Amino acid sequence: MQDVPASYGGESPLFSVIIPLEFHRGQWELSWLGWTSQTADASLYELILVVPPDFTAHDKLSALAGDSARLEFTNSDHDIGLCAFGAAKARGKYLFFTESHCWPEPDVIDVCIRAIDAHPDWAGFSCRSVPICHNRLSVAEAAMYQADIEFGMKQHPWRKVLDQCFVTRRDVYRECGGLREEFGHFAEWVLAAAYHARGHKIGYLEEARFHHYYVGEIGELKKFTLDFVQGEIRYLSEARSDPGSDLLDIPIEWNSRGDFNVALARSALVARMRSAHVNRESLDGLWRWGPIALTGGRSACSSARVAAAYARCVLTMLTMVGSRDGIARWLKRYIASLIHFQRLDCIHGSGEAAGAKLPRLGDRVVAQAGFHAPEVWQHRSFRWSEPEAALRIKVPKGRNMIRIASPEIRGPLDRIGVRFYLDGVRLSNAAIAIDADAFVLQFDQPSSGTAILAWTCSRFAARGDERRLGLPVAGISIGADEGANDAPSPAAMMQG
């Protein structure tokens, strides 16, 4: 929640327009002119210009603002932080967030007033963004981001907060936690999810038009993307359970970060090498797990860095001599490869945060490698493993039983040819049973602690799916073996 608004003389206006003077791209005077040229009565809104420490045009700003705006100074150097600071100082019933490289058409305030009267169910709404382009890259940049904005505003169920031009009731904004600077521009998604989870509707007002200046510089694109990714990974690392946190998608890089655990990668690799002769599957397994077993996540980060650098080089050349279609195509490729690299780099640098938001296959699963994202089959949630997978599990001393629930998506379980390994030693057939679409493993643990369970199987070729698919897993439970008296002896349970 933000601080209580500061006291201010006079009656409260209907709107508090918050303009952060960071990332203004040399357009802040146009933004100011747009707000001082509104057809609505000036008493209906206050202008709050939030000034970061690195803003240099103080004399010009003071001369232009005069008595027409409030200047708020803060040590924050991020526009999300500036917006949050301005919101804490606002007096209006509605907060109007915008950016200093955006400027409204003269009737925006009037259009917004009519929308509030016409849509009493709206707790907030975003306005229409109209791109302003000045070079070839900015044209492609605008097309890419405008498509994403249109998708969010018109199709996505809740991703409707657009900080270029977002109007919200101040009480609802405070109830939903406000904008949080530490999450960067990912804070917009966090706030939008919180509104949706609490039942607050956000509309889309196309009649209220804002002009948005696209800078068209690769360096600025990289900086913005990194800001979003850093906020995303920081949010996931905190494992927050706020309303709406379950709505936010978990990126595949985060969901599969256990894949970069050296011990698990080595276990998966050893299991594959012991499960097959030299063939396509063993070579695929070697290629998949070998680099990680040697270097951990560094190899994946290095490969992703090279891919992003290559895409940037091609994009740079195309902005000088390429076609518009080529620029647009390679811009998307560059941004996708850049996000992938930045996520891997942020995750690799963050370490294993306590309580970090990462879904496990069972309560006693400490870490896991070789699993795809969760999906649903016949109303049942499960995850595909790769043809090689490994888990670090907590096991008590004595006889234990592991139950691996596996929906029969690829056929009867006894025909898949799964081989299980515990701490590098293969479990014998006598230690494995199949019971009601589950593998049941029995083994003896000499002392309490952790063990690494790995398995291999043949690759499942699903039509139209290029992923390396192995065993479908709905869940894993581990506990004392109730039928311990019937369990095989430790010597019989293992084989090399």
Side-chain angles (χ1 to χ4, degrees):
M1 299 293 287
Q2 307 300 324
D3 296 334
V4 176
S7 59
Y8 187 87
E11 295 183 0
S12 296
L14 181 61
F15 297 100
S16 290
V17 179
I18 300 164
I19 308 173
L21 293 177
E22 184 70 12
F23 306 129
H24 56 77
R25 302 172 183 173
Q27 308 299 309
W28 69 269
E29 292 177 77
L30 280 176
S31 177
W32 168 258
L33 183 62
W35 284 110
T36 54
S37 302
Q38 291 294 301
T39 56
D41 193 294
S43 64
L44 292 171
Y45 62 99
E46 64 174 349
L47 298 177
I48 302 176
L49 301 174
V50 191
V51 187
D54 61 351
F55 188 79
T56 57
H58 287 279
D59 292 340
K60 183 182 289 187
L61 176 63
S62 298
L64 281 176
D67 296 329
S68 302
R70 290 165 53 193
L71 301 183
E72 297 288 350
F73 296 87
T74 176
N75 291 325
S76 174
D77 59 359
H78 194 290
D79 58 342
I80 293 295
L82 300 180
C83 284
F85 188 83
K89 302 294 184 180
R91 301 178 300 130
K93 180 179 180 181
Y94 288 88
L95 304 177
F96 206 136
F97 294 103
T98 185
E99 294 177 315
S100 53
H101 54 269
C102 302
W103 53 93
E105 293 199 350
D107 64 345
V108 158
I109 291 292
D110 283 328
V111 171
C112 289
I113 291 173
R114 292 195 296 269
I116 289 171
D117 292 337
H119 302 279
D121 57 324
W122 286 2
F125 53 88
S126 290
C127 305
R128 183 179 177 184
S129 175
V130 180
I132 300 295
C133 306
H134 65 99
N135 63 23
R136 284 151 55 87
L137 182 58
S138 68
V139 172
E141 178 189 2
M144 181 179 68
Y145 283 118
Q146 288 296 124
D148 187 67
I149 290 170
E150 287 287 308
F151 173 77
M153 296 300 113
K154 296 182 177 180
Q155 298 183 47
H156 198 276
W158 55 263
R159 210 181 71 201
K160 301 185 183 300
V161 172
L162 180 63
D163 70 344
Q164 298 174 17
C165 41
F166 176 58
V167 182
T168 177
R169 281 170 39 194
R170 190 177 61 172
D171 59 336
V172 175
Y173 169 84
R174 289 172 54 81
E175 175 194 335
C176 293
L179 291 166
R180 295 186 53 181
E181 180 178 6
E182 63 268 33
F183 299 142
H185 283 280
F186 187 69
E188 299 172 44
W189 288 24
V190 174
L191 185 62
Y195 272 61
H196 187 76
R198 292 175 181 269
H200 298 301
K201 186 175 181 179
I202 298 176
Y204 179 42
L205 186 60
E206 291 189 82
E207 295 83 0
R209 293 161 51 94
F210 275 75
H211 300 273
H212 179 269
Y213 180 84
Y214 284 91
V215 66
E217 295 179 6
I218 294 178
E220 288 297 311
L221 282 167
K222 180 179 179 180
K223 186 187 302 183
F224 176 83
T225 303
L226 179 60
D227 173 77
F228 184 91
V229 169
Q230 287 176 330
E232 176 187 48
I233 299 305
R234 185 174 293 116
Y235 181 86
L236 293 172
S237 297
E238 292 185 4
R240 303 186 63 85
S241 57
D242 303 328
S245 60
D246 58 326
L247 297 173
L248 295 161
D249 292 334
I250 301 177
I252 186 63
E253 294 86 355
W254 180 268
N255 207 28
S256 60
R257 64 188 179 126
D259 289 2
F260 303 116
N261 182 299
V262 172
L264 295 183
R266 288 175 179 172
S267 295
L269 178 61
V270 168
R272 171 53 69 192
M273 294 300 101
R274 292 181 176 177
S275 294
H277 300 293
V278 178
N279 55 22
R280 176 64 183 270
E281 288 184 351
S282 63
L283 293 176
D284 286 346
L286 178 63
W287 179 258
R288 171 69 174 90
W289 299 107
I292 301 172
L294 292 174
T295 66
R298 292 192 298 274
S299 61
C301 282
S302 297
S303 297
R305 186 194 299 271
V306 170
Y310 173 72
R312 176 169 180 162
C313 289
V314 175
L315 177 61
T316 301
M317 293 179 60
L318 289 173
T319 57
M320 296 183 288
V321 297
S323 66
R324 286 194 172 187
D325 288 344
I327 294 172
R329 183 170 61 255
W330 275 92
L331 174 61
K332 292 177 182 178
R333 182 168 176 174
Y334 171 60
I335 293 299
S337 61
L338 182 63
I339 289 173
H340 177 59
F341 162 66
Q342 289 174 340
R343 281 173 172 167
L344 290 177
D345 193 48
C346 288
I347 290 169
H348 184 69
S350 67
E352 184 71 24
K357 187 176 182 180
L358 185 63
R360 306 291 189 193
L361 287 163
D363 293 339
R364 291 182 174 269
V365 177
V366 179
Q368 59 196 41
F371 291 90
H372 297 287
E375 52 192 281
V376 177
W377 178 74
Q378 294 186 356
H379 309 291
R380 189 177 183 184
S381 179
F382 77 101
R383 300 178 70 163
W384 281 105
S385 82
E386 296 184 38
E388 311 86 24
L391 312 97
R392 187 182 298 279
I393 55 177
K394 292 187 293 186
V395 289
K397 179 180 179 180
R399 296 287 175 84
N400 284 269
M401 180 176 71
I402 301 178
R403 183 180 182 86
I404 304 172
S406 181
E408 293 189 348
I409 300 174
R410 57 176 297 180
L413 301 187
D414 59 356
R415 298 181 184 178
I416 297 177
V418 186
R419 297 186 179 188
F420 294 97
Y421 296 81
L422 190 67
D423 286 334
V425 181
R426 184 182 171 188
L427 290 176
S428 70
N429 293 336
I432 305 169
I434 296 176
D435 176 38
D437 69 359
F439 292 97
V440 180
L441 317 180
Q442 297 172 310
F443 64 96
D444 186 80
Q445 180 71 7
S447 60
S448 297
T450 62
I452 294 182
L453 174 68
W455 66 74
T456 64
C457 62
S458 61
R459 180 174 179 175
F460 177 60
R463 182 179 301 175
D465 194 333
E466 297 182 354
R467 295 175 300 170
R468 298 182 71 238
L469 303 180
L471 185 67
V473 180
I476 297 176
S477 59
I478 304 168
D481 185 3
E482 297 177 355
N485 292 333
D486 300 323
S489 65
M493 288 190 300
M494 307 265 187
Q495 66 183 39

